[in-house]
Amino acid sequence: MSASGHPEYRLRRAVVEDVPAIMELERTTFVTDAWSERSMRSEVTGEHGYYLVAFEPSAPERIDGYAGLLAPRGGGEGDIQTIAVAPHARRRGVGRTLMLALLAEARDRGAREVFLEVRADNPGAQALYRELGFEEIGVRPKYYEPDGVDAVVMRLGDPATAIPTPETTA
Ligand SMILES: CC(C)(COP(=O)(O)OP(=O)(O)OC[C@H]1O[C@@H](n2cnc3c(N)ncnc32)[C@H](O)[C@@H]1OP(=O)(O)O)[C@@H](O)C(=O)NCCC(=O)NCCS
């Protein structure tokens, strides 16, 4: 596993032309609380954002995953804004690879801590974040509407600690 891409997948920076394909995955993944296309466009193109898409080299036009970071350079902290992997591509390390790439970018932008929110009823995503070193620091009651589901707030103290050294990625 390398931080630059799963063996079967590649990552690249998302561009505005990717937004329709990202939105397709967004709407099927987050059925009740998907972002609007307008919000996604402003996230993907925002000055302080960093969005990646994952694709198979044999089908580069198909986006099988995306993830985004918000981290103003020199601001000292970052937020994982979103992550989704298409059902057929899950449990193959794509989510972890996307997260590691976002954390590397957060580190490069000077973030000393990274935050995220995750639905309390999403143990799979929580397991991924815990594996990377995120710890639960609080709960925002009924944060996700219209479902009324709590958000678990998680924090990673130093993004560099989650990123494997070259020896461990061989
Ligand atoms: C959460 C999500 C992004 C994970 O993507 P993924 O590519 O399947 O994750 P990975 O294959 O990189 O998983 C890495 C590790 O995370 C943990 N993990 C991931 N999904 C898990 C699940 N459903 N149940 C338990 N552990 C899980 C495991 O430890 C896994 O390692 P393993 O497969 O060797 O056991 C994906 O399931 C998804 O898109 N879910 C729907 C959208 C979503 O919930 N997004 C998060 C919003 S906060």
Side-chain angles (χ1 to χ4, degrees), residues 37-86:
E37 183 149 353
R38 190 176 164 177
S39 301
M40 186 65 79
R41 194 176 301 114
S42 85
E43 283 280 325
V44 167
T45 59
E47 185 191 346
H48 302 301
Y50 182 75
Y51 275 68
L52 295 172
V53 291
F55 62 95
E56 277 184 301
S58 57
E61 69 295 338
R62 199 185 65 223
I63 287 173
D64 282 343
Y66 62 87
L69 167 80
L70 181 68
R73 278 190 184 73
E77 61 183 63
D79 288 280
I80 303 296
Q81 298 287 80
T82 187
I83 180 168
V85 174

Side-chain angles (χ1 to χ4, degrees), residues 78-99:
D79 288 280
I80 303 296
Q81 298 287 80
T82 187
I83 180 168
V85 174
H88 71 267
R90 286 180 193 164
R91 296 312 285 268
R92 291 160 70 185
V94 180
R96 183 194 290 120
T97 302
L98 281 163
M99 285 293 297

Side-chain angles (χ1 to χ4, degrees), residues 24-155:
E24 236 180 272
L25 194 46
E26 168 83 9
R27 291 192 188 104
T28 52
T29 304
F30 303 106
V31 176
T32 57
D33 52 4
W35 290 359
S36 69
E37 183 149 353
R38 190 176 164 177
S39 301
M40 186 65 79
R41 194 176 301 114
S42 85
E43 283 280 325
V44 167
T45 59
E47 185 191 346
H48 302 301
Y50 182 75
Y51 275 68
L52 295 172
V53 291
F55 62 95
E56 277 184 301
S58 57
E61 69 295 338
R62 199 185 65 223
I63 287 173
D64 282 343
Y66 62 87
L69 167 80
L70 181 68
R73 278 190 184 73
E77 61 183 63
D79 288 280
I80 303 296
Q81 298 287 80
T82 187
I83 180 168
V85 174
H88 71 267
R90 286 180 193 164
R91 296 312 285 268
R92 291 160 70 185
V94 180
R96 183 194 290 120
T97 302
L98 281 163
M99 285 293 297
L100 287 171
L102 296 189
L103 294 174
E105 180 69 15
R107 174 202 59 195
D108 293 349
R109 291 183 179 199
R112 291 180 299 278
E113 50 185 355
V114 177
F115 298 91
L116 61 79
E117 278 131 11
V118 54
R119 285 173 67 116
D121 61 358
N122 190 349
Q126 289 177 34
L128 167 62
Y129 303 145
R130 255 187 230 106
E131 185 196 274
L132 292 167
F134 280 85
E135 290 173 347
E136 181 174 336
I137 57 164
V139 171
R140 291 192 212 282
K142 301 195 192 319
Y143 181 81
Y144 294 98
E145 295 297 352
D147 302 341
V149 172
D150 295 351
V152 177
V153 184
M154 301 183 87
R155 173 184 177 273

